Amino acid sequence: MHTSAIPTTSPERTVTATRPRPILRDVGREAQSCLGCSLRRICMPIDVADPEAKVLFEKLVASRIRLRKGDVLFRAGERFTALYAIRVGSCKTVALADDGDEQVTGLHLPGEIIGVEGIGNDVHVAQAVALEDTEVCVLPFERIEALAQRDTGFRRRLYRLLSSAIVRERSLSLMLGTMRAEQRLASFLLDLSSRYQMRGYSSTDFVLRMTREEIGSHLGLKLETVSRLFSRFAEEGLIEVQGRVIKLCDRIGLQHLLAAS
Amino acid sequence: MHTSAIPTTSPERTVTATRPRPILRDVGREAQSCLGCSLRRICMPIDVADPEAKVLFEKLVASRIRLRKGDVLFRAGERFTALYAIRVGSCKTVALADDGDEQVTGLHLPGEIIGVEGIGNDVHVAQAVALEDTEVCVLPFERIEALAQRDTGFRRRLYRLLSSAIVRERSLSLMLGTMRAEQRLASFLLDLSSRYQMRGYSSTDFVLRMTREEIGSHLGLKLETVSRLFSRFAEEGLIEVQGRVIKLCDRIGLQHLLAAS
DNA sequence: CGACTAGTTGAGGCCAGTCAATGTTGGTGG
DNA sequence: CCACCAACATTGACTGGCCTCAACTAGTCG
């Protein structure tokens, strides 16, 4: 069930770090059931009662893929065949406009499922790139379809996955449309913080996996602006910055920034 | 099947034109099948072969609702019970941030289906408001669910609906994150133009249903900026403007604006 | 007619972009 | 181990696009 043809995309025009490199496909790691996965609570929080459906659920993951930093999981224009659940590491998704403009639309952490925009199109409209060494589970669409048809709970999960992607994109628009630079960055940091916390990591100390340029692209800012803001936040005692190592010192202060018009 | 409780939302804080007004529910117009609908090609372009599914398909629309300009179809926080297909008129969808910020996230024309963000949440996260006298079909979620379970084509249609909502939101983000004011407005006009064309209306002459402020909110600009840009586009011979009546004179010129860095 | 909303246009200020120089970090090979 | 290089990051000076504030006009409705 490999993708039979790798569609031609323009020769690598990415913000950073995406050297042209052969696409790595299944590394032959044996699949594993979601049932025993430690990320299940975040990734697939459903119960499947019906025995037949349960069998399908256990076989949802066809394989695992290992990615090194900079590896491309899927490209825009490539045929949609599966969703991917991040098990270890992190990925960015990058949207490409017709005119070559591009934007980091999302930063995805373990337990998140990516690739949903392709689900109605048969084609991916975005690109996913690993930000560090990363491992993802491959959920082939036929299996998703089959399980969705049989099990109501899973179908609900699928709806939720899609609608929360809509909501996420929308809140990004809201941010880009209404916030000023400092608010965007504060909002970004707070969002990251709470997502790390949800996964049992520190909510105050973490390492950014994106460059200033990628963060800027995500927030609709230039890298210099991002850099300046980090410095300013540090001066004001809101955070401590050491390259990509971040420490949130004053969460309340950051939240106040958001409230300010 | 009416919504049993109307959740309390903050007392009307919208960009414009949304006077507090009693929510109008079903006006008692008899439902009608999608099969004979002139918008079906745009709205529900599927064939349902299986006879049982066909019965469900014919009964998809429970009722129609008529809205006058400014009427609210659903509010953020309100329970999600149905999708709505626009038959006549147009609606805007408005997203509300925690801090009171709001943004027009979409302008919806006949044949479009709105409310999909609520599909996984049981709750609407946005507000939909009629921009003119408007009529919508009510597609109760139970009926959608039932048909989706039975018919593969319809299920695909549902996926497509959701994923294209993701793509639409994403391209809005892309616009807000990467384009300058004149490009945003040009892009907005060209998008509207092609959507009118798709519906058999003139692609060059149309009436904006939104105020400058609403357009600005959608594009992440202030109303003065929108107004100035309309004037400038008119000066440059790209368009003619007469209040809300727009005539696109130089489509190519507008497209050139997009390409320019 | 007055009150109100929508739209236009001008003057000035500020936030973020641009251009440029310099510093820092991490990986590679001698 | 260190030298070197490239990618990443920081900081400064300047610019300009969009926002803000404000005045004025046009149309609408009671």
Side-chain angles (χ1 to χ4, degrees):
Chain A
M1 283 315 110
H2 297 253
T3 57
S4 53
I6 297 168
T8 57
T9 33
S10 56
E12 290 299 347
R13 297 191 71 274
T14 48
V15 173
T16 71
T18 331
R19 304 141 255 177
R21 196 185 266 189
I23 299 181
L24 301 181
R25 286 282 141 182
D26 306 4
V27 199
R29 311 252 306 162
E30 80 291 358
Q32 198 175 309
S33 161
C34 296
L35 287 174
C37 180
S38 62
L39 287 166
R40 180 159 167 226
R41 185 178 48 87
I42 293 172
C43 185
M44 264 312 156
I46 56 164
D47 281 317
V48 177
D50 173 61
E52 273 190 68
K54 194 153 192 169
V55 171
L56 293 176
F57 185 51
E58 291 203 20
K59 300 219 161 181
L60 203 51
V61 176
S63 63
R64 296 262 187 78
I65 296 179
R66 283 199 163 173
L67 302 161
R68 278 179 304 156
K69 184 176 171 178
D71 282 347
V72 176
L73 181 58
F74 54 80
R75 288 185 153 75
E78 198 171 318
R79 202 167 129 61
F80 169 82
T81 59
L83 298 181
Y84 304 93
I86 299 178
R87 237 183 94 73
V88 184
S90 54
C91 292
K92 66 173 177 179
T93 44
V94 181
L96 300 105
D98 306 331
D99 59 0
D101 270 1
E102 61 177 64
Q103 185 181 31
V104 174
T105 54
L107 161 61
H108 304 280
L109 303 183
E112 294 187 37
I113 294 179
I114 60 180
V116 289
E117 353 71 50
I119 213 170
N121 295 305
D122 290 350
V123 158
H124 286 290
V125 295
Q127 190 179 47
V129 182
L131 292 169
E132 58 191 306
D133 287 4
T134 295
E135 198 174 315
V136 301
C137 301
V138 181
L139 318 178
F141 185 57
E142 317 93 57
R143 301 194 188 185
I144 289 172
E145 256 286 71
L147 182 50
Q149 187 166 11
R150 193 167 293 271
D151 185 77
T152 306
F154 183 78
R155 197 158 58 240
R156 286 294 168 108
R157 175 67 189 143
L158 193 55
Y159 292 151
R160 175 165 216 107
L161 219 52
L162 287 156
S163 69
S164 61
I166 298 173
V167 172
R168 201 178 324 115
E169 298 290 337
R170 188 166 287 183
S171 70
L172 182 61
S173 301
L174 198 78
M175 181 173 81
L176 296 174
T178 65
M179 289 186 181
R180 298 211 276 67
E182 56 173 23
Q183 298 177 302
R184 296 184 202 179
L185 190 62
S187 156
F188 173 71
L189 290 174
L190 289 171
D191 177 58
L192 254 186
S193 165
S194 75
R195 283 160 70 200
Y196 278 126
Q197 187 167 37
M198 214 180 301
R199 283 162 181 76
Y201 302 126
S202 167
S203 67
T204 56
D205 297 80
F206 47 84
V207 177
L208 297 171
R209 297 300 180 179
M210 296 200 288
T211 65
R212 302 290 190 258
E213 185 171 17
E214 289 168 318
I215 295 170
S217 166
H218 184 49
L219 302 179
L221 303 171
K222 292 292 152 182
L223 76 165
E224 295 95 331
T225 305
V226 174
S227 180
R228 268 185 254 273
L229 285 171
F230 273 132
S231 303
R232 221 185 71 203
F233 283 2
E235 259 177 47
E236 293 168 352
L238 295 168
I239 62 175
E240 280 173 26
V241 194
Q242 189 66 254
R244 301 198 186 174
V245 183
I246 298 286
K247 184 191 194 74
L248 301 192
C249 306
D250 183 3
R251 166 182 249 93
I252 310 290
L254 288 170
Q255 277 159 350
H256 273 308
L257 281 183
L258 295 188
S261 153
Chain B
M1 284 309 111
H2 297 252
T3 56
S4 52
I6 297 169
T8 56
T9 33
S10 56
E12 289 300 347
R13 296 191 71 273
T14 48
V15 174
T16 70
T18 331
R19 302 142 256 175
R21 196 185 266 188
I23 299 182
L24 300 182
R25 286 280 140 182
D26 307 3
V27 200
R29 310 252 307 162
E30 80 290 358
Q32 198 175 310
S33 161
C34 296
L35 287 174
C37 179
S38 61
L39 287 166
R40 179 161 166 222
R41 185 179 48 84
I42 293 172
C43 185
M44 264 311 156
I46 57 164
D47 280 318
V48 177
D50 173 61
E52 273 190 67
K54 193 154 192 167
V55 171
L56 292 176
F57 185 51
E58 291 203 21
K59 300 217 160 183
L60 202 51
V61 176
S63 63
R64 297 261 187 79
I65 295 180
R66 282 198 163 175
L67 302 161
R68 279 177 302 157
K69 184 176 171 179
D71 283 346
V72 176
L73 181 58
F74 54 79
R75 288 185 154 76
E78 199 170 317
R79 202 167 129 61
F80 169 82
T81 58
L83 298 180
Y84 304 93
I86 299 177
R87 238 182 94 74
V88 183
S90 53
C91 292
K92 65 173 178 180
T93 44
V94 181
L96 300 106
D98 306 331
D99 59 0
D101 270 2
E102 61 179 63
Q103 184 180 31
V104 175
T105 54
L107 162 61
H108 304 280
L109 303 182
E112 294 187 36
I113 293 178
I114 60 179
V116 289
E117 351 73 50
I119 213 169
N121 295 305
D122 290 351
V123 159
H124 286 290
V125 295
Q127 190 180 48
V129 182
L131 291 168
E132 59 192 306
D133 287 3
T134 295
E135 199 174 314
V136 301
C137 301
V138 181
L139 318 179
F141 185 56
E142 318 94 57
R143 301 194 187 185
I144 289 172
E145 254 288 69
L147 182 49
Q149 187 165 11
R150 192 168 293 269
D151 185 76
T152 305
F154 183 79
R155 198 158 57 240
R156 286 293 168 109
R157 175 66 190 142
L158 193 55
Y159 293 151
R160 173 164 218 106
L161 219 51
L162 286 156
S163 70
S164 60
I166 298 173
V167 172
R168 201 178 325 114
E169 298 290 338
R170 189 165 287 184
S171 70
L172 181 60
S173 302
L174 199 78
M175 181 173 83
L176 296 174
T178 65
M179 289 185 181
R180 297 208 280 75
E182 57 173 21
Q183 298 177 303
R184 296 184 202 179
L185 189 62
S187 156
F188 172 72
L189 290 173
L190 289 170
D191 176 58
L192 254 187
S193 164
S194 74
R195 283 160 69 200
Y196 278 127
Q197 187 167 38
M198 213 180 301
R199 283 162 181 77
Y201 301 125
S202 168
S203 66
T204 56
D205 297 79
F206 47 83
V207 177
L208 298 171
R209 297 299 179 179
M210 295 198 290
T211 65
R212 302 290 190 257
E213 185 170 18
E214 288 168 318
I215 295 170
S217 165
H218 185 49
L219 303 178
L221 304 171
K222 292 290 152 184
L223 77 168
E224 295 96 329
T225 304
V226 174
S227 179
R228 269 185 253 273
L229 284 170
F230 273 132
S231 303
R232 219 184 72 201
F233 283 2
E235 259 176 46
E236 292 168 352
L238 295 167
I239 62 176
E240 281 172 23
V241 195
Q242 189 68 252
R244 301 197 187 174
V245 182
I246 299 285
K247 184 191 193 74
L248 302 191
C249 305
D250 182 2
R251 165 182 250 96
I252 310 289
L254 288 171
Q255 276 158 353
H256 274 307
L257 281 184
L258 295 188
S261 152

